[in-house]
Amino acid sequence: MQRRSFVPGAALATAAALAATLTSCTGGSGSGGGATDTKGGDTAATTQSAEPGKYRTLPEPCGLPSRNTLRRLLPPGGEESPQDAEKVYAGTADITYDTDRRVGCRWKREGPDGTRHLSLDFERVVSYDPAVSDDDKAQNVYAKKEQAAELPAGTGSAKPTPTPSAKGGTGDGKPGADGDGQGTGKATDGGKASPAPTGSPSGSPSTDPSASPGSPVAPRVLDGLADAAFLNDKLITADSGVHRDVSIVFRSSNVIVTITYDQWSADKAALPDSKDLQDKAQALAQELADRFND
């Protein structure tokens, strides 16, 4: 086979032509100092992400309410040893998978006027979309909760707004989380704070004066509590008795707090007092909101 000869002059000419081509593609020399580097990595680095939320962790929920507050919400009934009282007020923490994203605690007190349940749920909302801040995502989650409460006409205020997400995503950009951020961190057996007594039906809503929009204790938006808040009040009857469920949901920056407080009574003629339960639940909500602002 005949070998091709190597011609140094031709190689030098080819190299010179290549250098000239590269120079023209880069827009000339770097002497101007203001040429833009269009590398994709630098473009991503200069993209500004939305503001992160104020809170990066969550408090230990069982130790957050003061003992005096717990005594008012869960008054002792009859003779009780200090050890038994301490066990009641210590509460039972919910089982969670990520305590930086969701925590909760439950209390139960049996008394002469019926059994009372109290539960706290803290959810730290995180937006995985760089175009949506944690606060905006939390406001959207809160608005969905307010809509789901079906407050009387004219009392609602918040409306969920669409948030950009990846095609086929779940709303917050994180696989496995549901649309309101509740798919992260909480075990399936920790969500029920006020179960019905064993063997009783779930019950159904009963005629309740507090359901009237004109009533001072009607379900409503609460002004002046954290960034946004609402209260719901339901009277439910069952074969075993009657119970009133009062719930308060409020948002402080990127954390959403849900308080559930109810009282069961075996005597259907002795309805749990709506104002009493609401006043105590609101006092707890204000205490928690103040603790967040400390």
Side-chain angles (χ1 to χ4, degrees):
M1 178 183 295
Q2 183 179 3
R3 294 185 179 181
R4 298 177 61 184
S5 60
F6 177 74
V7 183
L12 291 174
T14 301
L18 180 60
T21 302
L22 291 176
T23 301
S24 65
C25 290
T26 56
S29 64
S31 59
T36 302
D37 189 341
T38 58
K39 291 187 296 183
D42 288 349
T43 302
T46 58
T47 300
Q48 292 185 350
S49 297
E51 287 292 326
K54 178 179 179 181
Y55 303 105
R56 304 296 181 90
T57 60
L58 290 172
E60 195 287 304
C62 293
L64 203 57
S66 68
R67 279 293 189 266
N68 287 336
T69 298
L70 289 175
R71 290 189 185 97
R72 286 193 294 270
L73 271 75
L74 306 168
E79 297 296 329
E80 184 178 58
S81 67
Q83 293 79 10
D84 291 338
E86 181 59 30
K87 184 177 180 180
V88 169
Y89 295 132
T92 301
D94 287 341
I95 300 173
T96 59
Y97 300 121
D98 185 351
T99 55
D100 284 337
R101 290 294 307 277
R102 194 151 198 177
V103 294
C105 190
R106 291 172 287 169
W107 294 262
K108 177 182 177 181
R109 163 75 78 184
E110 295 181 0
D113 59 349
T115 301
R116 300 193 185 209
H117 301 87
L118 171 67
S119 75
L120 298 181
D121 178 85
F122 296 81
E123 178 185 0
R124 186 174 68 91
V125 179
V126 177
S127 171
Y128 294 93
D129 187 333
V132 180
S133 69
D134 291 347
D135 278 21
D136 287 343
K137 175 64 179 177
Q139 172 59 18
N140 202 44
V141 173
Y142 167 84
K144 290 180 180 179
K145 291 179 180 291
E146 185 179 304
Q147 280 196 335
E150 299 181 345
L151 302 181
T155 63
S157 62
K159 294 182 179 180
T161 56
T163 55
S165 60
K167 186 177 181 181
T170 57
D172 63 0
K174 184 175 181 181
D178 60 22
D180 64 357
Q182 294 184 5
T184 57
K186 190 164 186 178
T188 56
D189 62 346
K192 292 184 178 180
S194 305
T198 304
S200 70
S202 58
S204 58
S206 176
T207 302
D208 183 5
S210 71
S212 171
S215 170
V217 292
R220 63 200 180 277
V221 169
L222 297 175
D223 296 326
L225 177 61
D227 295 324
F230 71 87
L231 178 149
N232 208 356
D233 187 325
K234 294 182 179 180
L235 183 67
I236 300 175
T237 59
D239 291 342
S240 58
V242 61
H243 65 101
R244 182 178 294 280
D245 296 348
V246 172
S247 59
I248 294 178
V249 179
F250 71 83
R251 179 182 72 85
S252 180
S253 184
N254 62 317
V255 171
I256 296 176
V257 179
T258 301
I259 300 170
T260 306
Y261 182 42
D262 68 60
Q263 179 181 349
W264 282 82
S265 174
D267 184 0
K268 294 183 180 181
L271 300 181
D273 184 75
S274 184
K275 186 177 186 306
D276 176 63
L277 269 65
Q278 286 193 24
D279 287 348
K280 291 176 179 178
Q282 288 187 77
L284 173 60
Q286 190 63 61
E287 178 180 322
L288 296 180
D290 292 343
R291 295 285 291 273
F292 269 92
N293 293 329
D294 288 345

